[in-house]
Amino acid sequence: MRQILAATAAMLAIVTAAGAADSVATEAGSATYNWSGFYAGVLLGYGTGDSSAISDNGFDGSAPEDRADLGPKGFAGGAVAGYNWQRDQLVFGVESEVGYLGAKDDFWFPDGDDYFARSEYGLYGSLAGRLGFAIDQTLITARAGVIVADIDYGYGDIDGGVNGEPDPDSSIFGDGARAGFTIGASIEHAFAGDWVGRLDYAYSDFGSHIETDGFDETYDVSDNLHMIRIGLIKKF
C-alpha cells in the first residue's frame, strides 16, 4: 500500500508540474478549455484494503489476541458519470459510480489454531461531490461522498480436524450491503477534444459493526479499501 500511495503521489506531482508549466506559456489565470457539462466513462484498476474481526471471548482463544486480520486485494472497475460546472479556473460538480470490486482474502487454520476468516467484496455504488482547479486542459480534483458495497465475510472457530467445518455456534457470517464514506483525488487531461484521461485514487471506509455468535460472544468487524485506477471519459 505504501508503494501504491508513493507512486500515486509521484504521478500527481509530475502532472501538476507539467500543468503549471503549461499555464506559464499562456496568460496568467486563463482557462481556455471548458470542463462544464455532462461526462461518462470507465475506471479500471486495483484495490487493496484491511478487514478484521476483534473479539474478547470469540475464536475459542485460538486467534492471536482474539483477532483475525485480512488484506483483501484484487480488480477494481466500474462506470462513472457526472456533471461539472466551471467558473474561471474553479470546477465543481457531482459524480456517481457503479461497478465491481474483486478484492478478497481468506485463511483456514484447522490444525492447532483452529480458526478461519474470509472477506470478499462485490458490487458497489457511490455518489460524491467534486471540487477542482483547471489549468487549461488539465484538471486536478478532490471529492468526498458516500459508498455502498456488497461485502461477504466470515470469522470464527473450526469444528476440529483437518477437514473440519466452521462451527455454526462459534462463528459469524455476513453477506450484504455495507455503507460507508469515500474520499478521493484525480488528475484529468483532455487529450483529444472531448476525450479525457484520468488517474484516480479512492479510499473507502465502511466503519465497524458488532456481530454476535451463537454463544453471545461479540465480534467487532471492520473493512476499508484503497483503489488506484486509470480511466477514459467522454464529455458531452
Side-chain angles (χ1 to χ4, degrees):
M1 175 45 48
R2 291 179 180 174
Q3 291 87 342
I4 289 178
L5 294 177
T8 303
M11 296 178 76
L12 290 174
I14 291 170
V15 177
T16 302
D22 288 342
S23 67
V24 172
T26 60
E27 291 184 5
S30 66
T32 59
Y33 187 82
N34 185 6
W35 288 92
S36 297
F38 177 77
Y39 61 90
V42 294
L43 297 172
L44 300 175
Y46 188 77
T48 179
D50 297 294
S51 296
S52 66
I54 304 171
S55 179
D56 290 337
N57 298 299
F59 296 113
D60 246 0
S62 302
E65 299 179 357
D66 291 323
R67 178 187 182 111
D69 291 291
L70 294 168
K73 57 181 67 70
F75 167 83
V80 61
Y83 195 93
N84 287 328
W85 294 267
Q86 182 170 355
R87 182 167 183 175
D88 297 325
Q89 289 178 272
L90 186 65
V91 177
F92 53 96
V94 62
E95 182 172 283
S96 63
E97 278 185 52
V98 292
Y100 182 80
L101 302 170
K104 60 182 178 180
D105 190 21
D106 64 80
F107 59 71
W108 186 265
F109 294 148
D111 284 329
D113 292 327
D114 190 34
Y115 73 109
F116 77 98
R118 74 164 190 266
S119 178
E120 181 174 357
Y121 287 77
L123 297 174
Y124 78 95
S126 68
L127 181 66
R130 298 209 309 164
L131 180 62
F133 184 79
I135 308 170
D136 196 12
Q137 291 177 247
T138 299
L139 176 64
I140 304 170
T141 71
R143 67 181 180 276
V146 294
I147 185 170
V148 177
D150 179 59
I151 304 177
D152 181 2
Y153 64 86
Y155 298 92
D157 293 325
I158 299 173
D159 257 340
V162 174
N163 297 314
E165 297 294 332
D167 184 340
D169 294 320
S170 298
S171 303
I172 58 168
F173 302 93
D175 184 9
R178 296 289 307 166
F181 72 86
T182 182
I183 57 175
S186 66
I187 289 182
E188 302 175 26
H189 188 76
F191 60 88
D194 291 330
W195 288 101
V196 176
R198 177 190 286 192
L199 172 64
D200 187 274
Y201 167 77
Y203 169 75
S204 300
D205 194 316
F206 299 92
S208 63
H209 55 103
I210 302 297
E211 300 291 342
T212 305
D213 67 16
F215 291 112
D216 292 327
E217 306 295 354
T218 59
Y219 298 72
D220 188 354
V221 181
S222 62
D223 299 278
N224 63 69
L225 189 70
H226 302 264
M227 292 183 285
I228 183 167
R229 301 166 296 176
I230 58 173
L232 182 63
I233 293 169
K234 177 71 166 63
K235 290 177 75 274
F236 297 93

